[in-house]
Amino acid sequence: MKAFSELCIQAQNLHPELSLEAMLGPGPRSPEELIATPDDRLFSDMTRRIFRAGLKHSLVDSKWPAFETAFFGFDPYKVSLLSDEQIEKMMQNEALIRHLGKLKAARANALLVSEISEQKGGLGRFLAEWPVTDIVSLWTLLKKEGTQLGGNSGASFLRMVGKDTFMLTDDVVTALRAQGVVDKKPTAQRDLKLVQEAFNAWHAESGKPMCQISRLLAHSIGRHD
């Protein structure tokens, strides 16, 4: 496994037209910013991420004002009280993306957001206080306790709201394989732990956030995450 400094050189050799700063991209939001973000905004982004899966982001985003109206501004408590009949009625609303499984996922995830918020003093505080050196465990929690937050959806939601996380895009996985961290796309907990350990080592060496290390890795094979 190459040192972070060596990966920087490799990426710069592949992309002489880009500065290192451009390849690293923006950093995450601060813990204070996350803590200050209301639950309804985080829940809205969580739901939008689920609806973006498999669709053009621009299509989903163009319809999001209608979703905000249909889901009471994504107030978790109100959404958690939606009946089956109310959700089925949404399937007749042409302003929405009419996917019954994803509409029901919003109600299920509203319960999760409410429970976390009650226990931890807000979803934003919960996310802010989760250690980035064990971010894969947060992915696992979102997958197990949430609905339709498996695969890359959990990490993508975290990236959307500004929580520091790396991403296991195809390019990042290719780079991890090239560095000998894993030999296939990591899905098992053992492989995810190996990936986390590699990112932790680069994080300790460079002091850079996980999201920037992730982007640099992707650039080290010629693309981006």
Side-chain angles (χ1 to χ4, degrees):
M1 190 173 98
K2 290 184 178 179
F4 182 81
S5 56
E6 294 177 297
L7 290 172
C8 289
I9 293 171
Q10 183 171 313
Q12 288 177 304
N13 287 338
L14 284 169
H15 300 279
E17 76 285 3
L18 296 176
S19 67
L20 179 60
E21 290 74 18
M23 286 188 281
L24 292 174
R29 298 176 75 189
S30 70
E32 293 77 17
E33 288 175 311
L34 272 176
I35 291 170
T37 306
D39 288 345
D40 61 272
R41 294 304 85 209
L42 297 172
F43 179 39
S44 175
D45 280 340
M46 177 186 289
T47 307
R48 178 156 41 163
R49 166 54 208 168
I50 290 170
F51 274 90
R52 278 180 171 183
L55 295 174
K56 288 185 177 180
H57 294 184
S58 59
L59 169 65
V60 177
D61 293 349
S62 70
K63 291 180 174 287
W64 212 246
F67 275 87
E68 291 281 350
T69 299
F71 283 102
F72 314 108
F74 285 95
D75 180 309
Y77 177 72
K78 291 180 179 179
V79 175
S80 71
L81 296 178
L82 283 170
S83 65
D84 287 343
E85 291 75 17
Q86 286 174 298
I87 293 177
E88 288 167 6
K89 188 176 180 180
M90 290 181 186
M91 292 292 290
Q92 309 305 317
N93 187 344
E94 295 183 358
L96 304 178
I97 296 169
R98 292 172 287 177
H99 187 296
L100 185 58
K102 293 182 178 182
L103 291 170
K104 287 185 174 180
R107 179 178 61 186
N109 289 329
L111 285 169
L112 174 64
V113 171
S114 296
E115 290 171 1
I116 290 175
S117 183
E118 183 176 349
Q119 294 170 7
K120 304 296 183 179
L123 179 58
R125 181 175 297 278
F126 171 75
L127 297 178
E129 293 178 351
W130 194 283
V132 297
T133 50
D134 190 24
I135 202 68
V136 296
S137 291
L138 181 53
W139 298 356
T140 300
L141 183 149
L142 291 170
K143 177 182 178 180
K144 289 184 175 180
E145 303 297 330
T147 301
Q148 298 210 21
L149 288 171
N152 284 331
S153 289
S156 295
F157 155 64
L158 296 176
R159 179 69 69 83
M160 281 178 68
V161 301
K163 171 64 179 177
D164 192 19
T165 184
F166 50 85
M167 299 283 292
L168 293 179
T169 62
D170 290 344
D171 293 333
V172 172
V173 171
T174 297
L176 289 169
R177 292 177 64 186
Q179 295 305 310
V181 177
V182 290
D183 57 10
K184 62 181 184 301
K185 184 170 184 176
T187 54
Q189 287 300 311
R190 175 184 174 276
D191 289 339
L192 289 172
K193 183 178 179 181
L194 291 173
V195 171
Q196 181 76 70
E197 290 172 351
F199 270 90
N200 289 352
W202 288 316
H203 177 65
E205 176 197 347
S206 67
K208 299 294 185 184
M210 300 297 187
C211 59
Q212 292 187 334
I213 298 169
S214 181
R215 295 189 193 101
L216 183 77
L217 267 180
H219 277 98
S220 75
I221 61 146
R223 297 190 182 184
H224 57 80
D225 82 340

